[in-house]
Amino acid sequence: MLSFFSTAMDDPLSGAVEVVKDRLYYAPLQSVPSRNATATVTNTSTGQPESRPIHYFSIDSEFEYYNFYLDFGPFNLGHLYQFCRKLNEKLDDSRLSNHV
């Protein structure tokens, strides 16, 4: 069952959308998650479940939306580019390679 807001304490990825298998998830959250959250994922080489730390990040405080009239549309292409760079840096960071 998918929900749009993850509030389950026993499964931090409850309601998250998997973008890259066992690596990248999208989850709109209502509150700041705990720093020591872990998720159980299946190890692709052994097929066994394993617990991995979760790395959360948000762009809410980094990008400011400038509306065009009275709209509430998407960020501009510059913000999209900055987000893609940030996401790629996180995915390539060796310190986060064992995180979900």
XYZ file of all heavy atoms in Angstrom:
811
model
N 0.840 -1.175 0.000
C 0.000 0.000 0.000
C 0.882 1.234 0.000
O 1.790 1.378 0.787
C -0.882 -0.001 1.240
C -1.782 1.181 1.327
S -2.910 0.965 2.712
C -2.747 2.540 3.454
N 0.634 2.167 -0.910
C 1.404 3.391 -0.993
C 0.611 4.550 -0.408
O -0.588 4.661 -0.609
C 1.732 3.726 -2.453
C 2.726 2.823 -3.146
C 2.897 3.255 -4.586
C 4.053 2.824 -2.439
N 1.309 5.382 0.339
C 0.692 6.616 0.807
C 1.608 7.758 0.405
O 2.799 7.556 0.208
C 0.497 6.600 2.320
O 1.750 6.585 2.953
N 1.074 8.943 0.289
C 1.885 10.054 -0.164
C 2.750 10.642 0.935
O 3.721 11.301 0.664
C 1.006 11.146 -0.777
C 0.466 10.756 -2.105
C -0.859 10.414 -2.254
C 1.293 10.685 -3.202
C -1.346 10.039 -3.482
C 0.819 10.311 -4.436
C -0.512 9.990 -4.577
N 2.425 10.425 2.184
C 3.216 10.954 3.280
C 3.644 9.815 4.182
O 2.828 9.086 4.712
C 2.422 11.989 4.084
C 2.106 13.208 3.278
C 0.859 13.370 2.713
C 3.069 14.176 3.058
C 0.574 14.480 1.957
C 2.790 15.295 2.302
C 1.539 15.451 1.751
N 4.950 9.662 4.348
C 5.484 8.586 5.176
C 5.450 8.999 6.639
O 6.046 9.977 7.023
C 6.917 8.278 4.748
O 7.461 7.305 5.574
N 4.724 8.244 7.444
C 4.681 8.530 8.866
C 4.977 7.295 9.691
O 5.040 7.366 10.896
C 3.288 9.059 9.273
O 2.312 8.105 8.893
C 3.000 10.383 8.605
N 5.161 6.161 9.058
C 5.376 4.914 9.796
C 6.750 4.906 10.443
O 7.749 5.157 9.793
C 5.239 3.725 8.852
N 6.800 4.638 11.748
C 8.073 4.605 12.453
C 8.791 3.280 12.236
O 10.006 3.225 12.260
C 7.855 4.856 13.941
C 7.366 6.246 14.221
S 8.362 7.451 13.366
C 8.703 8.563 14.667
N 8.067 2.197 12.011
C 8.702 0.901 11.844
C 9.298 0.728 10.453
O 10.233 -0.029 10.282
C 7.723 -0.224 12.157
C 6.452 -0.125 11.325
O 6.121 0.982 10.870
O 5.801 -1.163 11.151
N 8.804 1.423 9.451
C 9.344 1.350 8.098
C 9.494 2.761 7.543
O 8.549 3.338 7.038
C 8.427 0.522 7.201
C 8.981 0.360 5.795
O 10.134 0.759 5.550
O 8.248 -0.151 4.943
N 10.710 3.327 7.616
C 10.907 4.695 7.152
C 10.647 4.891 5.660
O 10.404 5.991 5.218
C 12.370 4.980 7.471
C 12.844 3.896 8.328
C 11.907 2.755 8.176
N 10.691 3.810 4.886
C 10.453 3.932 3.451
C 9.010 3.620 3.069
O 8.695 3.479 1.901
C 11.412 3.024 2.677
C 12.893 3.394 2.800
C 13.746 2.437 1.995
C 13.141 4.817 2.392
N 8.141 3.524 4.058
C 6.729 3.289 3.792
C 6.175 4.434 2.957
O 6.273 5.591 3.327
C 5.983 3.190 5.118
O 4.612 3.385 4.943
N 5.623 4.127 1.822
C 5.052 5.149 0.951
C 6.052 5.787 0.016
O 5.681 6.621 -0.799
N 7.323 5.431 0.108
C 8.343 6.007 -0.775
C 8.261 5.361 -2.153
O 7.876 4.203 -2.294
C 9.726 5.801 -0.192
N 8.642 6.106 -3.157
C 8.676 5.607 -4.526
C 10.126 5.261 -4.866
O 11.014 6.107 -4.761
C 8.130 6.655 -5.513
C 8.240 6.168 -6.943
C 6.702 7.011 -5.166
N 10.354 4.024 -5.246
C 11.709 3.579 -5.576
C 12.075 4.083 -6.971
O 11.418 3.766 -7.948
C 11.775 2.050 -5.528
C 13.161 1.505 -5.670
C 13.196 -0.006 -5.470
O 12.309 -0.700 -5.987
O 14.115 -0.461 -4.776
N 13.149 4.872 -7.060
C 13.599 5.422 -8.337
C 14.736 4.581 -8.904
O 14.735 4.230 -10.074
C 14.039 6.899 -8.169
C 14.539 7.475 -9.475
C 12.894 7.738 -7.615
N 15.722 4.257 -8.058
C 16.819 3.363 -8.417
C 16.803 2.230 -7.404
O 16.861 2.464 -6.204
C 18.187 4.096 -8.378
C 19.323 3.130 -8.671
C 18.211 5.267 -9.338
N 16.739 0.993 -7.874
C 16.565 -0.175 -7.015
C 17.522 -0.181 -5.833
O 18.729 -0.125 -6.003
C 16.746 -1.448 -7.836
C 16.620 -2.719 -7.036
C 15.524 -3.579 -7.567
C 15.414 -4.870 -6.821
N 14.589 -4.777 -5.647
N 16.956 -0.245 -4.621
C 17.690 -0.335 -3.360
C 18.697 0.800 -3.155
O 19.631 0.657 -2.382
C 18.421 -1.675 -3.231
C 17.453 -2.836 -3.168
O 16.311 -2.624 -2.728
O 17.854 -3.947 -3.555
N 18.509 1.932 -3.844
C 19.499 3.010 -3.721
C 18.863 4.391 -3.587
O 19.271 5.182 -2.772
C 20.413 2.981 -4.959
C 21.530 3.965 -4.955
C 22.635 3.517 -4.025
N 23.782 4.380 -4.227
C 24.166 5.284 -3.345
N 23.523 5.434 -2.224
N 25.201 6.047 -3.587
N 17.852 4.698 -4.417
C 17.282 6.043 -4.434
C 15.765 5.965 -4.374
O 15.143 5.264 -5.177
C 17.713 6.778 -5.706
C 17.163 8.184 -5.916
C 17.638 9.122 -4.815
C 17.564 8.713 -7.276
N 15.200 6.673 -3.403
C 13.758 6.698 -3.193
C 13.290 8.144 -3.118
O 14.030 9.008 -2.661
C 13.379 6.005 -1.873
C 13.679 4.530 -1.867
C 14.953 4.058 -1.589
C 12.681 3.603 -2.131
C 15.230 2.712 -1.584
C 12.957 2.250 -2.121
C 14.227 1.816 -1.851
O 14.498 0.480 -1.848
N 12.065 8.392 -3.540
C 11.444 9.708 -3.387
C 10.322 9.569 -2.360
O 9.467 8.695 -2.493
C 10.862 10.209 -4.706
C 10.020 11.442 -4.505
C 10.608 12.680 -4.290
C 8.632 11.357 -4.482
C 9.834 13.807 -4.069
C 7.850 12.477 -4.256
C 8.460 13.695 -4.055
O 7.687 14.799 -3.822
N 10.340 10.440 -1.358
C 9.300 10.394 -0.328
C 9.019 11.804 0.168
O 9.900 12.434 0.754
C 9.735 9.519 0.830
N 7.825 12.323 -0.077
C 7.464 13.607 0.541
C 7.186 13.371 2.025
O 6.372 12.530 2.377
C 6.201 14.029 -0.210
C 5.638 12.771 -0.761
C 6.775 11.810 -0.932
N 7.891 14.061 2.882
C 7.787 13.846 4.323
C 7.169 15.055 5.007
O 7.358 16.180 4.587
C 9.168 13.568 4.916
C 9.921 12.385 4.310
C 11.335 12.319 4.867
C 9.177 11.093 4.571
N 6.465 14.802 6.097
C 5.833 15.871 6.861
C 6.737 16.413 7.956
O 6.518 17.505 8.452
C 4.527 15.381 7.489
C 3.470 15.066 6.468
C 2.216 14.511 7.113
O 2.266 13.905 8.174
N 1.092 14.714 6.453
N 7.740 15.646 8.366
C 8.631 16.087 9.426
C 10.042 15.585 9.136
O 10.244 14.719 8.294
C 8.155 15.569 10.781
O 8.156 14.157 10.780
N 10.989 16.130 9.865
C 12.382 15.730 9.695
C 12.566 14.318 10.239
O 12.208 14.039 11.384
C 13.313 16.714 10.439
C 14.763 16.283 10.316
C 13.120 18.121 9.909
N 13.112 13.409 9.443
C 13.303 12.026 9.893
C 14.440 11.914 10.905
O 15.296 12.787 10.996
C 13.641 11.278 8.609
C 14.076 12.302 7.647
C 13.493 13.603 8.064
N 14.465 10.806 11.640
C 15.527 10.599 12.621
C 16.840 10.335 11.899
O 16.867 9.752 10.823
C 15.175 9.444 13.553
O 15.610 8.232 13.028
N 17.935 10.752 12.515
C 19.257 10.618 11.902
C 19.746 9.166 11.832
O 20.580 8.837 11.013
C 20.274 11.438 12.674
C 20.144 12.910 12.445
C 21.402 13.581 12.989
N 21.634 14.897 12.474
C 22.108 15.172 11.263
N 22.372 14.218 10.439
N 22.314 16.411 10.897
N 19.242 8.313 12.698
C 19.731 6.929 12.728
C 18.752 5.952 12.086
O 18.752 4.774 12.419
C 20.057 6.511 14.164
C 18.851 6.659 15.078
O 17.809 7.110 14.651
N 19.014 6.274 16.332
N 17.959 6.419 11.154
C 16.988 5.547 10.482
C 17.700 4.547 9.581
O 18.716 4.853 8.962
C 16.013 6.384 9.663
N 17.172 3.341 9.548
C 17.696 2.309 8.661
C 16.545 1.691 7.884
O 15.392 1.777 8.281
C 18.425 1.190 9.441
O 17.502 0.594 10.346
C 19.639 1.722 10.171
N 16.886 1.075 6.767
C 15.900 0.382 5.943
C 16.409 -1.014 5.635
O 17.614 -1.231 5.515
C 15.669 1.138 4.647
N 15.502 -1.943 5.528
C 15.865 -3.306 5.156
C 15.661 -3.467 3.663
O 14.573 -3.257 3.146
C 15.012 -4.330 5.919
O 15.193 -4.111 7.322
C 15.414 -5.743 5.572
N 16.748 -3.789 2.978
C 16.714 -4.000 1.531
C 17.324 -5.355 1.222
O 18.029 -5.936 2.042
C 17.475 -2.887 0.767
C 16.807 -1.542 0.946
C 18.912 -2.817 1.194
N 17.080 -5.856 0.041
C 17.628 -7.146 -0.372
C 18.984 -6.943 -1.026
O 19.106 -6.155 -1.958
C 16.681 -7.849 -1.358
O 15.407 -7.977 -0.727
C 17.190 -9.218 -1.735
N 19.988 -7.637 -0.535
C 21.318 -7.586 -1.123
C 21.244 -8.241 -2.498
O 20.840 -9.389 -2.627
C 22.319 -8.311 -0.225
C 23.732 -8.195 -0.725
O 24.015 -8.386 -1.897
N 24.630 -7.885 0.190
N 21.668 -7.513 -3.543
C 21.525 -8.031 -4.906
C 22.450 -9.201 -5.194
O 22.139 -10.046 -6.026
C 21.780 -6.917 -5.937
O 23.046 -6.315 -5.658
C 20.696 -5.867 -5.882
N 23.600 -9.301 -4.513
C 24.517 -10.405 -4.782
C 24.147 -11.677 -4.014
O 24.298 -12.779 -4.516
C 25.953 -10.006 -4.480
O 26.087 -9.630 -3.135
N 23.651 -11.525 -2.770
C 23.337 -12.712 -1.962
C 21.849 -13.034 -1.928
O 21.469 -14.149 -1.603
C 23.808 -12.520 -0.508
O 23.058 -11.450 0.082
C 25.293 -12.226 -0.441
N 21.008 -12.048 -2.220
C 19.563 -12.265 -2.153
C 19.017 -12.217 -0.733
O 17.836 -12.447 -0.509
N 19.888 -11.922 0.237
C 19.489 -11.872 1.643
C 19.137 -10.438 2.043
O 19.727 -9.488 1.553
C 20.635 -12.374 2.531
C 21.013 -13.811 2.280
C 19.876 -14.755 2.615
O 19.197 -14.582 3.614
N 19.660 -15.743 1.761
N 18.176 -10.289 2.958
C 17.857 -8.945 3.443
C 18.990 -8.394 4.312
O 19.651 -9.147 5.026
C 16.586 -9.132 4.260
C 16.486 -10.576 4.535
C 17.315 -11.299 3.527
N 19.228 -7.103 4.197
C 20.237 -6.445 5.027
C 19.751 -5.054 5.411
O 18.939 -4.459 4.710
C 21.585 -6.360 4.315
C 21.595 -5.479 3.094
C 22.957 -5.416 2.420
O 23.763 -6.355 2.553
O 23.196 -4.417 1.739
N 20.232 -4.595 6.530
C 19.846 -3.283 7.035
C 20.870 -2.250 6.572
O 22.069 -2.464 6.699
C 19.786 -3.308 8.561
O 19.370 -2.066 9.046
N 20.373 -1.154 6.011
C 21.248 -0.082 5.537
C 20.813 1.248 6.128
O 19.625 1.498 6.297
C 21.171 0.045 4.025
C 21.864 -1.011 3.256
C 21.873 -0.550 1.842
N 22.477 -1.462 0.936
C 22.373 -1.327 -0.371
N 21.664 -0.357 -0.885
N 22.966 -2.163 -1.162
N 21.773 2.145 6.408
C 21.392 3.479 6.882
C 20.715 4.266 5.755
O 20.969 4.028 4.578
C 22.723 4.108 7.280
C 23.770 3.318 6.609
C 23.203 1.956 6.337
N 19.864 5.190 6.138
C 19.162 6.028 5.159
C 19.759 7.422 5.191
O 19.960 8.001 6.265
C 17.659 6.103 5.473
C 17.038 4.712 5.417
C 16.955 7.034 4.506
C 15.579 4.690 5.825
N 20.045 7.969 4.027
C 20.522 9.344 3.907
C 19.392 10.173 3.303
O 18.985 9.946 2.175
C 21.762 9.410 3.016
C 22.214 10.810 2.747
N 22.867 11.559 3.694
C 22.080 11.595 1.667
C 23.137 12.745 3.194
N 22.665 12.794 1.962
N 18.871 11.108 4.080
C 17.823 11.995 3.601
C 18.436 13.336 3.217
O 19.399 13.772 3.838
C 16.809 12.283 4.717
C 16.012 11.105 5.187
C 16.399 10.380 6.304
C 14.846 10.736 4.530
C 15.658 9.309 6.760
C 14.097 9.665 4.976
C 14.511 8.958 6.085
O 13.771 7.905 6.531
N 17.851 13.991 2.206
C 18.209 15.378 1.964
C 17.010 16.106 1.380
O 16.103 15.506 0.821
C 19.450 15.516 1.078
C 19.219 15.255 -0.385
C 19.014 16.312 -1.256
C 19.237 13.977 -0.886
C 18.823 16.081 -2.614
C 19.046 13.726 -2.232
C 18.842 14.793 -3.103
N 17.025 17.408 1.550
C 15.921 18.254 1.099
C 16.486 19.492 0.427
O 17.555 19.975 0.801
C 15.060 18.667 2.295
O 14.111 19.621 1.895
N 15.766 20.013 -0.543
C 16.186 21.244 -1.214
C 15.317 22.427 -0.804
O 15.468 23.521 -1.327
C 16.146 21.084 -2.746
C 14.733 20.749 -3.215
C 17.154 20.044 -3.207
C 14.530 20.853 -4.702
N 14.432 22.219 0.159
C 13.488 23.263 0.550
C 14.168 24.567 0.956
O 13.675 25.646 0.649
C 12.582 22.790 1.680
C 11.583 21.751 1.214
O 11.440 21.576 -0.016
O 10.953 21.119 2.073
N 15.276 24.493 1.660
C 15.931 25.711 2.131
C 16.981 26.237 1.148
O 17.535 27.305 1.349
C 16.588 25.461 3.485
O 17.578 24.473 3.349
N 17.260 25.499 0.076
C 18.297 25.901 -0.872
C 17.774 26.691 -2.060
O 18.470 27.561 -2.570
C 19.034 24.670 -1.388
C 19.786 23.946 -0.300
C 20.502 22.729 -0.832
O 21.102 22.815 -1.915
O 20.442 21.693 -0.165
N 16.600 26.361 -2.523
C 16.056 27.011 -3.719
C 14.830 27.828 -3.356
O 13.949 27.355 -2.654
C 15.674 25.975 -4.778
C 16.819 25.081 -5.190
C 16.638 23.724 -5.281
C 18.067 25.591 -5.481
C 17.670 22.892 -5.658
C 19.111 24.773 -5.857
C 18.914 23.418 -5.946
N 14.785 29.031 -3.884
C 13.632 29.889 -3.641
C 12.820 29.981 -4.929
O 13.369 30.232 -6.004
C 14.078 31.281 -3.224
C 12.935 32.180 -2.850
C 13.409 33.522 -2.312
O 14.579 33.636 -1.935
O 12.585 34.448 -2.287
N 11.548 29.771 -4.812
C 10.671 29.824 -5.984
C 10.268 31.264 -6.262
O 9.827 31.980 -5.373
C 9.417 28.966 -5.784
C 8.481 29.066 -6.957
C 8.820 28.494 -8.166
C 7.304 29.786 -6.872
C 7.990 28.611 -9.259
C 6.466 29.905 -7.963
C 6.825 29.316 -9.157
O 6.011 29.436 -10.243
N 10.454 31.692 -7.507
C 10.035 33.020 -7.940
C 8.839 32.851 -8.863
O 8.984 32.370 -9.983
C 11.175 33.739 -8.671
C 12.385 33.947 -7.798
C 13.514 33.153 -7.941
C 12.386 34.923 -6.814
C 14.621 33.335 -7.134
C 13.498 35.122 -6.001
C 14.597 34.332 -6.172
O 15.687 34.509 -5.371
N 7.670 33.262 -8.395
C 6.475 33.049 -9.203
C 6.420 34.022 -10.373
O 7.002 35.102 -10.344
C 5.208 33.149 -8.348
C 5.039 34.499 -7.700
O 6.013 35.164 -7.416
N 3.812 34.883 -7.461
N 5.716 33.620 -11.416
C 5.610 34.413 -12.622
C 4.385 35.327 -12.571
O 4.305 36.258 -13.096
C 5.537 33.528 -13.858
C 5.332 34.296 -15.130
C 6.322 35.150 -15.592
C 4.168 34.182 -15.844
C 6.130 35.866 -16.752
C 3.972 34.889 -17.009
C 4.957 35.720 -17.462
N 3.421 35.117 -12.016
C 2.293 36.024 -11.822
C 1.679 35.572 -10.520
O 2.248 35.784 -9.492
C 1.340 36.001 -13.022
C 0.166 36.937 -12.885
C 0.340 38.284 -12.607
C -1.128 36.470 -12.985
C -0.737 39.144 -12.459
C -2.211 37.310 -12.850
C -1.999 38.642 -12.585
O -3.067 39.474 -12.439
N 0.616 34.899 -10.526
C 0.069 34.330 -9.304
C 0.129 32.804 -9.368
O -0.703 32.130 -8.809
C -1.371 34.813 -9.092
C -1.508 36.308 -8.867
C -2.977 36.712 -8.805
C -0.809 36.739 -7.601
N 1.131 32.312 -10.081
C 1.225 30.864 -10.251
C 2.005 30.225 -9.103
O 2.557 30.890 -8.248
C 1.873 30.521 -11.589
C 3.344 30.883 -11.644
O 3.804 31.636 -10.770
O 4.031 30.414 -12.553
N 2.044 28.931 -9.107
C 2.793 28.160 -8.119
C 3.512 27.030 -8.827
O 3.777 25.997 -8.262
C 1.858 27.603 -7.037
C 0.710 26.807 -7.585
C 0.846 25.457 -7.839
C -0.489 27.425 -7.888
C -0.209 24.723 -8.365
C -1.549 26.698 -8.408
C -1.404 25.344 -8.644
N 3.849 27.249 -10.094
C 4.411 26.212 -10.955
C 5.760 25.691 -10.521
O 6.227 25.987 -9.425
N 6.417 24.955 -11.384
C 7.683 24.314 -11.032
C 8.821 25.330 -10.941
O 8.710 26.462 -11.382
C 7.910 23.346 -12.196
C 7.200 23.971 -13.340
C 6.007 24.664 -12.741
N 9.941 24.869 -10.364
C 11.146 25.683 -10.342
C 11.632 25.914 -11.765
O 11.242 25.199 -12.695
C 12.258 24.980 -9.553
C 12.038 24.976 -8.074
C 11.835 23.798 -7.394
C 12.065 26.161 -7.361
C 11.666 23.796 -6.028
C 11.892 26.175 -5.989
C 11.684 24.994 -5.322
N 12.525 26.872 -11.952
C 13.061 27.127 -13.289
C 14.123 26.084 -13.649
O 14.529 25.275 -12.811
C 13.598 28.560 -13.390
C 14.756 28.816 -12.457
O 15.657 27.994 -12.337
N 14.748 29.953 -11.785
N 14.582 26.109 -14.893
C 15.539 25.102 -15.353
C 16.886 25.191 -14.633
O 17.573 24.192 -14.468
C 15.753 25.224 -16.865
C 14.585 24.737 -17.711
C 14.866 24.978 -19.191
C 14.317 23.273 -17.465
N 17.254 26.389 -14.180
C 18.493 26.529 -13.405
C 18.430 25.752 -12.104
O 19.390 25.090 -11.705
N 17.272 25.806 -11.436
C 17.093 25.051 -10.192
C 17.097 23.547 -10.478
O 17.654 22.758 -9.707
C 15.795 25.436 -9.496
C 15.848 26.781 -8.852
N 14.765 27.613 -8.833
C 16.832 27.434 -8.218
C 15.085 28.711 -8.201
N 16.345 28.638 -7.811
N 16.467 23.155 -11.555
C 16.452 21.735 -11.925
C 17.876 21.245 -12.173
O 18.264 20.171 -11.703
C 15.589 21.506 -13.164
C 15.558 20.088 -13.707
C 14.963 19.126 -12.688
C 14.778 20.035 -15.004
N 18.673 22.037 -12.868
C 20.066 21.676 -13.123
C 20.841 21.549 -11.810
O 21.590 20.586 -11.611
C 20.709 22.712 -14.047
C 22.175 22.476 -14.269
C 22.612 21.457 -15.118
C 23.133 23.247 -13.628
C 23.961 21.216 -15.312
C 24.477 23.017 -13.814
C 24.889 22.009 -14.661
O 26.223 21.768 -14.835
N 20.679 22.518 -10.904
C 21.371 22.472 -9.617
C 20.964 21.241 -8.813
O 21.801 20.599 -8.170
C 21.087 23.739 -8.806
C 21.743 24.971 -9.371
C 21.312 26.227 -8.630
O 20.236 26.274 -8.035
N 22.163 27.233 -8.658
N 19.684 20.904 -8.841
C 19.217 19.711 -8.137
C 19.851 18.453 -8.734
O 20.309 17.571 -7.991
C 17.691 19.602 -8.194
C 17.191 18.296 -7.665
C 17.130 18.057 -6.304
C 16.802 17.281 -8.530
C 16.688 16.842 -5.806
C 16.359 16.061 -8.050
C 16.309 15.851 -6.685
N 19.892 18.356 -10.055
C 20.486 17.176 -10.706
C 21.960 17.036 -10.352
O 22.445 15.922 -10.113
C 20.301 17.257 -12.217
S 18.595 17.033 -12.748
N 22.681 18.140 -10.311
C 24.098 18.092 -9.921
C 24.248 17.608 -8.484
O 25.096 16.761 -8.187
C 24.742 19.468 -10.073
C 25.008 19.810 -11.536
C 25.910 20.964 -11.675
N 27.176 20.660 -10.995
C 28.154 21.536 -10.859
N 28.013 22.741 -11.326
N 29.260 21.212 -10.247
N 23.417 18.143 -7.593
C 23.486 17.747 -6.179
C 23.179 16.254 -6.030
O 23.865 15.536 -5.322
C 22.500 18.578 -5.364
C 22.479 18.234 -3.897
C 21.487 19.097 -3.152
C 21.515 18.787 -1.695
N 22.139 19.818 -0.901
N 22.153 15.786 -6.718
C 21.779 14.377 -6.651
C 22.892 13.489 -7.196
O 23.244 12.473 -6.585
C 20.477 14.141 -7.406
C 19.945 12.720 -7.400
C 19.672 12.247 -5.978
C 18.676 12.636 -8.236
N 23.488 13.851 -8.323
C 24.588 13.064 -8.889
C 25.785 13.028 -7.950
O 26.438 11.988 -7.809
C 25.003 13.615 -10.251
C 24.074 13.150 -11.345
O 23.522 12.067 -11.282
N 23.888 13.991 -12.345
N 26.090 14.155 -7.293
C 27.196 14.179 -6.340
C 26.926 13.221 -5.180
O 27.828 12.515 -4.729
C 27.414 15.595 -5.810
C 28.033 16.527 -6.818
C 28.063 17.978 -6.362
O 27.660 18.268 -5.206
O 28.479 18.826 -7.163
N 25.706 13.190 -4.699
C 25.363 12.291 -3.596
C 25.440 10.827 -4.033
O 25.917 9.973 -3.291
C 23.986 12.618 -3.042
C 23.999 13.931 -2.254
C 22.703 14.159 -1.567
C 22.751 15.383 -0.711
N 23.625 15.268 0.456
N 24.970 10.523 -5.231
C 25.019 9.143 -5.716
C 26.455 8.679 -5.970
O 26.761 7.496 -5.847
C 24.175 8.998 -6.984
C 22.665 9.083 -6.782
C 21.948 9.122 -8.128
C 22.152 7.945 -5.923
N 27.342 9.613 -6.332
C 28.739 9.274 -6.595
C 29.621 9.306 -5.349
O 30.754 8.844 -5.388
C 29.332 10.229 -7.642
C 28.754 10.007 -9.020
O 28.206 8.910 -9.280
O 28.833 10.927 -9.851
N 29.120 9.846 -4.247
C 29.900 9.984 -3.022
C 30.161 8.608 -2.406
O 29.224 7.898 -2.032
C 29.156 10.875 -2.036
C 29.975 11.256 -0.831
O 30.981 10.577 -0.538
O 29.607 12.243 -0.167
N 31.433 8.242 -2.284
C 31.779 6.908 -1.756
C 31.340 6.748 -0.290
O 31.095 5.635 0.158
C 33.271 6.656 -1.894
O 34.006 7.610 -1.141
N 31.249 7.869 0.458
C 30.808 7.783 1.858
C 29.340 7.390 1.971
O 28.895 6.917 3.009
C 31.050 9.111 2.573
C 32.519 9.485 2.678
C 32.673 10.871 3.173
N 32.053 11.761 2.192
C 31.871 13.055 2.356
N 32.230 13.634 3.478
N 31.327 13.784 1.405
N 28.571 7.590 0.908
C 27.150 7.261 0.924
C 26.818 6.011 0.106
O 25.653 5.686 -0.093
C 26.335 8.448 0.371
C 26.473 9.765 1.119
C 25.737 10.884 0.387
C 25.936 9.620 2.534
N 27.838 5.291 -0.340
C 27.594 4.147 -1.238
C 26.814 3.019 -0.582
O 26.119 2.274 -1.271
C 28.913 3.610 -1.786
O 29.702 3.101 -0.732
N 26.882 2.881 0.729
C 26.126 1.802 1.392
C 24.814 2.311 1.966
O 24.133 1.574 2.671
C 26.965 1.172 2.505
C 27.170 2.113 3.673
O 27.215 3.322 3.482
N 27.314 1.571 4.858
N 24.450 3.548 1.684
C 23.186 4.120 2.174
C 22.073 3.924 1.157
O 22.304 3.722 -0.018
C 23.342 5.629 2.421
C 24.140 5.957 3.626
N 25.478 5.636 3.752
C 23.801 6.603 4.763
C 25.923 6.070 4.919
N 24.925 6.654 5.549
N 20.868 3.993 1.648
C 19.679 3.987 0.800
C 19.259 5.424 0.649
O 19.360 6.215 1.548
C 18.539 3.166 1.441
C 17.283 3.275 0.614
C 18.951 1.737 1.593
